[in-house]
Amino acid sequence: MAHEHPPDCPLSVHDLTVAYQRKPVIWDVDLNIPEGKLVGIVGPNGAGKSTLLKACLDLIPKTSGWVHIYGQPYRTNRHLVGYVPQRESVDWDFPVSALDVVAMGTYRRLGWFRPVGKTEKSLAMEALEKVGIAHLSGRQISQLSGGQQQRVFLARALAQEARVYFMDEPFAAVDAATEQAIVTLLQELRDSGRTCLVVHHDLATVPQYFDWLIFLNLRVVASGPTAEVFTEDNLRKTYGGKLSLLDHAAEAIRRS
Amino acid sequence: MPTLQDILGTILLQSYNTRVVVLGTAMLGLASGITGAFLLLRKRSLMGDALSHATFPGIGIAFALMISAGGSGKALPGLLTGATVSGVLGVLCMLAIRNTTRLRDDVAMGFVLSVFFGTGAAVYAMVQTKPGAAGLESFIYGKAASMVLSDVLLIFAVGLLVTATALLLLKELTVLCFDEGFAASTGWPVLTLDILLLVLVTAVTVTGLQAVGLVLIIAFLIIPPTAARFWTHSLRRMLVLSGAIGAVSGWLGASVSALFANLPAGALIVLTAATLFLFSLLFGTARGVVLKRIDQSRLQRRIGRQHLLRAAYEILETMGQPVSNQPIPRQRLLEHRSWANPELSRLLAQARHEDHIEPGPNPSLIHLSESGFGEASRITRNHRLWELYLITHADIAPSHVDRDADLVEHILGAEMVRALEAELKPRPVIPNSPHRIPSPP
């Protein structure tokens, strides 16, 4: 396992352990993610995928180890990071419009007390255009469909103008059109040199969507280019005896 | 009983004394309406309740301390300092219980609220016999009329400061309340912002003790924003409305309380706010119950009309091609969609009212009017094109489908409609239903 961490890495994780109340949730995670990759984080429920993401983003305390973004601690380089939380993590009944939510991506750059101005609004509008729902910008967010809400979250991350994106299950419960739109967007981001780490559930689409994979089940089972690590062996090590899932995956391997 | 002149004089602020008191209470309402909106959106309203009740022991203890130090015991700054200290202590206890044990928020809240209020009641009973203790009870239920100019000036200063701070922090508090995780990931100090919000709430609560009382001040924080939410989906408008509802409640509540010597201001303010809330709940333009009902019945009527006319058209189709407008036996309609008899009667009455059916002498024969026939053919065509679209393009976003659109072309574009119609060839311009073959007569 790599224990050297080149400073130009968008994300390097060194011996990271996170524990809730003495029970480790992920342990000894050690990763180097190269720039310009679409990285899938896969593993069974409770494998610690979201925990890994939140620990990288400094949202939960680390029990040991460190995380660097482009060779610096998160605190220093967080302006290079974009974040798409799980859609269910917020109350969509909140009295704001889609545009308001997307503009939140610009808040930190604006700094304390300064209100959202024309520049921020047009930036947010551009981001909404990129995810294909500019026509819904004024809509209150509870009046959007699940897929549209997910697009709003993606647009907000785009408005952050980041270089590394962390996305927590952006494909969860979205319609087919939205899934396709997200995939296209991810590819565009990758092609412009951005790195995206995406927590993903559907093993069938994994080899098709991602060019780098992290197999996670409390520890890192494997991390590397999809072509090398998407093997039955790694899947079994990650998912254990859950055979129905394995059948799914085996089919995916045959197709890839 | 006050005369009409008294009432007008009070509400319109003609007397200097009431003018001062009422304006102060209105200012307090404005500040708490705005702060309360953020507290509500942060889902921490319960914390406001724990905080206000936890101020009680502080007031009694501060009074006792000031008496034993040889003071008057009723110095407002001293009492309010005591209230602040014990209120904040209550909130800290609540946070400690929540963070160190696995007890839920509501349990921690109930615990702190009752224990602190109980302590307060005990302390109050002990100091009650001391000279000058009379009037302390106005902190429980509020007595706006007992405020003097300096009290009101304090309320004004704090109210302005709180309002200005909340508005200055509009975007910071918004992102905190909407998405804490995202706010933290972008570097906003979530804890500091939470403390700031708590400071604002504490400031409103403590300065409002005299006017509204500690039992009811929570209403000032919760009711105005909840009422405001019925009128708008925009946070800015909600803040403005919430402030306005708070101010009006304070104004009217304090005025009426000034008219009747024995009515506590807090109670009247709450009742006024509750009346405004009830009005908003019923007639609010964004979520009001009445508007929702009207929308619903309108929708029901529209769908009923569409079903009736489409059924009529489908029956006419079986009566010979090309389809022409002939009388339809009522019995056929009844069988076509398995309507209950009274339901069909209702739909027919509605259609007659909308001039889609000709009034005829024979109630068992239904004759569509010229406009009804046109409408029926339009509805049927739309319906079938949509069905076809869903079947042939099931992979495209179902969210794009709006069956109510007057013309499919408005949504799908003329080109798509041409393509769909081409797929139906060599069928007639009004395509047959793709999944239902008309039954023979």
Side-chain angles (χ1 to χ4, degrees), chain B residues 35 51 55 83-84 87-88 91 197-208:
Chain B
T35 325
L51 171 78
T55 56
T84 310
V88 169
V91 170
L197 180 58
L198 197 63
V199 167
L200 296 182
V201 173
T202 312
V204 170
T205 307
V206 169
T207 45

Side-chain angles (χ1 to χ4, degrees), chain B residues 416-432:
Chain B
M416 172 64 90
V417 171
R418 261 198 299 280
L420 285 175
E421 278 177 344
E423 274 179 72
L424 289 163
K425 271 180 188 169
R427 295 179 211 184
V429 181
I430 294 175
N432 290 322

Side-chain angles (χ1 to χ4, degrees), chain A residues 74 91 93 108 111 113 156, chain B residues 171 179 185-186 229 287:
Chain A
Y74 184 78
D91 174 13
D93 203 26
R108 199 54 211 166
F113 309 126
R156 182 176 67 174
Chain B
K171 96 175 175 299
D179 193 346
S185 85
T186 51
R229 189 68 179 84
R287 312 180 135 186

Side-chain angles (χ1 to χ4, degrees), chain B residues 37-374:
Chain B
F38 286 114
L39 197 66
L40 184 80
L41 292 173
R42 186 81 179 113
K43 306 197 190 317
R44 294 259 166 97
S45 299
L46 289 177
M47 196 179 270
D49 204 15
L51 171 78
S52 60
H53 280 77
T55 56
F56 195 20
I59 296 168
I61 292 171
F63 175 78
L65 283 179
M66 284 190 290
I67 289 270
S68 59
S72 81
K74 293 289 288 293
L76 193 63
L79 292 178
L80 294 189
T81 310
T84 310
V85 170
S86 74
V88 169
L89 212 63
V91 170
L92 290 180
C93 277
M94 188 177 150
L95 292 177
I97 291 172
R98 193 183 61 182
N99 293 344
T100 54
T101 66
R102 291 191 150 201
L103 296 174
R104 286 198 323 261
D105 268 15
D106 51 347
V107 178
M109 193 301 284
F111 180 81
V112 166
L113 187 150
S114 51
V115 169
F116 272 73
F117 192 73
T119 314
V123 172
Y124 175 66
M126 282 192 278
V127 300
Q128 211 176 9
T129 51
K130 297 251 170 21
L136 269 192
E137 75 281 354
S138 70
F139 283 97
I140 305 177
Y141 295 117
K143 192 160 192 211
S146 70
M147 291 195 293
V148 295
L149 184 62
S150 63
D151 303 347
V152 174
L153 287 180
L154 177 74
I155 288 183
F156 253 94
V158 173
L160 276 178
L161 198 68
V162 165
T163 308
T165 314
L167 294 183
L168 209 57
L169 287 171
L170 176 64
K171 96 175 175 299
E172 287 79 3
L173 291 175
T174 307
V175 72
L176 171 80
C177 295
F178 175 63
D179 193 346
E180 182 187 349
F182 180 80
S185 85
T186 51
W188 291 107
V190 167
L191 185 68
T192 311
L193 284 171
D194 263 332
I195 291 174
L196 269 172
L197 180 58
L198 197 63
V199 167
L200 296 182
V201 173
T202 312
V204 170
T205 307
V206 169
T207 45
L209 285 179
Q210 240 192 331
V212 191
L214 57 90
V215 178
L216 296 176
I217 185 102
I218 186 65
F220 233 4
L221 288 166
I222 292 183
I223 299 179
T226 317
R229 189 68 179 84
F230 284 103
W231 295 97
T232 177
H233 291 305
S234 141
L235 179 63
R236 280 158 187 276
R237 258 173 259 148
M238 179 177 158
L239 287 174
V240 171
L241 266 175
S242 177
I245 292 172
V248 169
S249 313
W251 182 301
L252 290 180
S255 306
V256 178
S257 158
L259 285 172
F260 300 89
N262 290 326
L263 287 182
L268 289 171
I269 287 171
V270 170
L271 290 177
T272 314
T275 310
L276 291 175
F277 171 81
L278 194 68
F279 181 76
S280 308
L281 174 116
L282 288 175
F283 304 108
T285 47
R287 312 180 135 186
V289 175
V290 170
L291 213 67
K292 208 183 274 172
R293 269 292 146 74
I294 292 175
D295 274 356
Q296 229 160 31
S297 71
R298 208 177 272 159
L299 180 72
Q300 246 168 9
R301 276 218 304 277
R302 193 170 59 212
I303 288 180
R305 177 202 312 139
Q306 288 178 355
H307 283 173
L308 179 74
L309 290 179
R310 188 151 57 82
Y313 195 86
E314 278 165 4
I315 292 168
L316 288 177
E317 279 179 321
T318 66
M319 294 165 86
Q321 297 283 349
V323 182
S324 62
N325 192 5
Q326 318 169 31
I328 303 164
R330 192 174 185 281
Q331 194 54 33
R332 288 282 306 274
L333 269 176
L334 208 53
E335 285 157 5
H336 192 82
R337 277 193 78 99
S338 57
W339 273 303
N341 202 13
E343 198 186 353
L344 182 61
S345 300
R346 193 178 53 76
L347 287 174
L348 288 172
Q350 183 195 320
R352 214 165 282 131
H353 182 72
E354 286 165 346
D355 285 335
H356 287 145
I357 293 180
E358 304 265 359
N362 186 354
S364 64
L365 272 183
I366 313 296
H367 201 155
L368 292 181
S369 69
E370 203 50 47
S371 73
F373 183 65

Side-chain angles (χ1 to χ4, degrees), chain A residues 103-140:
Chain A
M104 288 179 192
T106 68
Y107 279 9
R108 199 54 211 166
R109 246 171 300 145
L110 262 173
W112 286 91
F113 309 126
R114 290 179 47 205
V116 173
K118 265 201 187 122
T119 329
E120 289 73 33
K121 277 196 183 142
S122 71
L123 202 84
M125 206 60 201
E126 259 173 56
L128 275 173
E129 261 160 40
K130 275 185 210 150
V131 298
I133 52 165
H135 60 292
L136 302 173
S137 65
R139 193 77 73 90
Q140 200 259 325

Side-chain angles (χ1 to χ4, degrees), chain A residues 145-211:
Chain A
S145 73
Q148 289 162 346
Q149 290 175 346
Q150 191 63 60
R151 290 181 198 222
V152 167
F153 260 16
L154 277 163
R156 182 176 67 174
L158 290 182
Q160 289 186 275
E161 300 187 317
R163 286 171 70 185
V164 199
Y165 284 96
F166 291 83
M167 306 187 181
D168 206 343
E169 304 208 23
F171 295 110
V174 298
D175 54 281
T178 300
E179 178 150 349
Q180 199 44 56
I182 297 175
V183 170
T184 313
L185 189 74
L186 287 176
Q187 285 162 353
E188 278 168 21
L189 285 171
R190 179 208 31 216
D191 296 343
S192 62
R194 267 58 163 251
T195 311
C196 301
L197 286 102
V198 182
V199 173
H200 192 55
H201 252 130
D202 181 16
L203 282 176
T205 50
V206 158
Q208 200 185 322
Y209 289 174
F210 301 106
D211 35 37

